[in-house]
Amino acid sequence: MADTEVEKEAGGFVRPTVEVNTYRKANPLTAKIIEHRILYRESDENDVRHIVLDAKAMNYFDGQSVGVLPPGENDKGKPHAVRLYSIASLASRAPGSENLCLIVKRYVEKNPETGELFRGVASNYLCDLKVGDEVVLTGPAGRKFVLPVAHDIHRPYIFIATGTGIAPFRGFLQRLYKHTPQFNSPVYLLFGVKTTPELYYHDEFSEYKNENFHYLKALSREMKNAQGGRYYVNDLLRENEKELWPIISDERTIIYMCGLKGMEEGVAKAINEMALKHGKGENYYSTLSHRMEDEVY
Ligand SMILES: Cc1cc2nc3c(=O)[nH]c(=O)nc-3n(C[C@H](O)[C@H](O)[C@H](O)COP(=O)(O)OP(=O)(O)OC[C@H]3O[C@@H](n4cnc5c(N)ncnc54)[C@H](O)[C@@H]3O)c2cc1C
C-alpha cells in the first residue's frame, strides 16, 4: 500500500497525509448502494445496517468518516445538515478494498410519556434505502484517526469500541492483518455492546488467528463486573490489567477509542486507577494524548 506524504507530530506517530473535504455540500459525490443488509435487529423499530456504497472515486482512508446529506428539509425549511459516519472498510485506493462500507444504527427514541417515536433523519433514511439507491456524500472527513504510515505501523495497538464505534477498527484490522506483511505486534480489540448478537463482524474478527491479536468483549447485559454491575469496556481494562498495563504503558503503543460519548470517562478512570497502582501519579490518562485518538458521538 503506497503512502502519501507523511507528517510527523512531536512525540507522536507518523500519520499518512490524507485528503479531506474533496467533496463538499456544493460539489458532493453521488454514490450508489451496492450492498445493504441488517447486521443486528434490536427490536421491531430498530436495527443496525451494513451498507456498502460505490464510492471509490473518493480518496478516503480507513478511520476517516464521510458526510451524508439526507434529502429534504428540516422544520425551519432549510436543507438537512450533514451527518458523519465512520468508514468501516479499508482505504479506497488500497488493493482489494471492498468499497465504502458504513455501519448505521437507526436513531429511534421513544417519548416516555406519549410513547411516540422520534426517528433521526439521516440514520433512518440510510437504513430504509435499498441496493441501487443513491446517496449524496461529502468528505472524506478527519485527519487524525488513522493508523501510522507503513514504515511506522509496527507498533502495539489498543482499539476500544462501543456499538457502531467498531466501524473504523474493521478497516484497521484489515490493514494490519491483510495488507501489512509481517505485522506481529500486540493488538487488543476491546469491544463493548449489550448482548452477544450485537458483536458486529464477530466472525470476521474471529478469523484473525495471529497469536498477538486479542479480541476481548464486554457484554453489558450478559456479564457482571466485580461489583455485580453491568460490564463495560472499562471493566475489561480492569480485569485484564496484568496483560494490558505493560501495553498501555509502552510509549510505542497507540490507543484508539470510538463510540458512545460516555465511554471516555470510564476508560480514563480505569487507566488512571491502573497507573496509580504502578506509581504513575494521579492523572496518567492526560499524558497519553500524543498516542491516543478518540472519536466519540
Ligand atoms: C465522527 C462521527 C462518526 C460517526 N459514525 C457513526 C457510525 O459509524 N454509525 C452510526 O450509526 N452513527 C455514527 N455517528 C452518528 C451520526 O453522525 C448521527 O449523529 C446519528 O446517525 C443520528 O443522526 P440522525 O440524523 O439519524 O438523527 P437526528 O435527526 O440528528 O436526530 C438525533 C438528534 O435529535 C435530537 N432530538 C430532537 N428531537 C428529539 C426528540 N423528540 N426525541 C429524541 N431526540 C430528539 C437528539 O438530541 C439528537 O441529538 C457518527 C458521528 C460522528 C460525529
Side-chain angles (χ1 to χ4, degrees), residues 6-187:
V6 296
E7 55 185 38
K8 180 107 184 157
E9 303 216 343
F13 55 96
V14 186
R15 291 181 177 83
T17 299
V18 292
E19 271 186 31
V20 289
N21 300 326
T22 322
Y23 297 93
R24 296 169 185 266
K25 256 182 156 176
N27 66 321
L29 175 70
T30 301
K32 229 179 210 156
I33 294 185
I34 50 180
E35 200 184 330
H36 197 286
R37 63 181 161 87
I38 293 178
L39 267 183
Y40 169 66
R41 185 180 283 286
E42 187 172 293
S43 64
D44 288 347
E45 285 102 23
N46 207 342
D47 53 33
V48 179
R49 306 267 173 156
H50 168 95
I51 303 173
V52 184
L53 291 138
D54 182 5
K56 280 198 180 171
M58 190 186 283
N59 184 9
Y60 58 79
F61 237 74
D62 30 296
Q64 288 188 288
S65 305
V66 287
V68 169
L69 278 166
E73 293 174 342
N74 62 21
D75 50 14
K76 294 189 183 91
K78 296 257 164 62
H80 286 300
V82 169
R83 268 73 162 183
L84 289 176
Y85 292 90
S86 298
I87 293 168
S89 47
L90 204 54
S92 53
R93 304 286 152 90
S97 171
E98 75 185 296
N99 232 316
L100 179 78
C101 173
L102 306 178
I103 308 171
V104 182
K105 182 177 182 358
R106 287 181 193 271
Y107 186 97
V108 182
E109 283 285 325
K110 195 180 248 177
N111 182 314
E113 278 148 36
T114 63
E116 205 184 322
L117 289 181
F118 171 86
R119 295 181 190 276
V121 174
S123 59
N124 284 277
Y125 157 71
L126 286 168
C127 289
D128 287 339
L129 293 174
K130 52 189 188 313
V131 170
D133 287 343
E134 290 182 331
V135 179
V136 179
L137 300 174
T138 62
R143 293 178 196 277
K144 302 194 96 186
F145 204 99
V146 287
L147 283 175
V149 293
H151 69 79
D152 194 34
I153 205 167
H154 294 272
R155 292 165 169 268
Y157 296 99
I158 298 180
F159 300 147
I160 310 175
T162 53
T164 54
I166 196 67
F169 302 127
R170 182 169 180 256
F172 283 5
L173 290 168
Q174 289 178 6
R175 178 176 289 270
L176 295 175
Y177 291 122
K178 294 186 176 166
H179 294 266
T180 307
Q182 271 106 45
F183 179 80
N184 199 26
S185 301
V187 176

Side-chain angles (χ1 to χ4, degrees), residues 259-278:
L260 303 174
K261 228 173 222 155
M263 71 188 286
E264 196 184 10
E265 204 183 320
V267 167
K269 194 162 175 267
I271 291 181
N272 279 337
E273 281 168 17
M274 254 188 238
L276 204 55
K277 281 196 217 161
H278 291 86

Side-chain angles (χ1 to χ4, degrees), residues 213-281:
F213 175 54
H214 307 270
Y215 170 29
L216 310 178
K217 298 130 208 150
L219 304 167
S220 64
R221 303 285 163 92
E222 293 178 13
M223 295 160 70
K224 291 264 180 274
N225 65 18
Q227 290 71 44
R230 284 186 179 163
Y231 197 104
Y232 298 113
V233 284
N234 31 309
D235 296 306
L236 277 179
L237 286 164
R238 285 196 188 90
E239 282 201 359
N240 295 280
E241 175 181 340
K242 219 168 144 196
E243 210 174 324
L244 285 172
W245 175 250
I247 311 285
I248 292 170
S249 56
D250 181 342
E251 267 301 308
R252 290 189 45 76
T253 301
I254 310 174
I255 304 169
Y256 296 85
M257 179 164 43
C258 188
L260 303 174
K261 228 173 222 155
M263 71 188 286
E264 196 184 10
E265 204 183 320
V267 167
K269 194 162 175 267
I271 291 181
N272 279 337
E273 281 168 17
M274 254 188 238
L276 204 55
K277 281 196 217 161
H278 291 86
K280 291 278 187 184

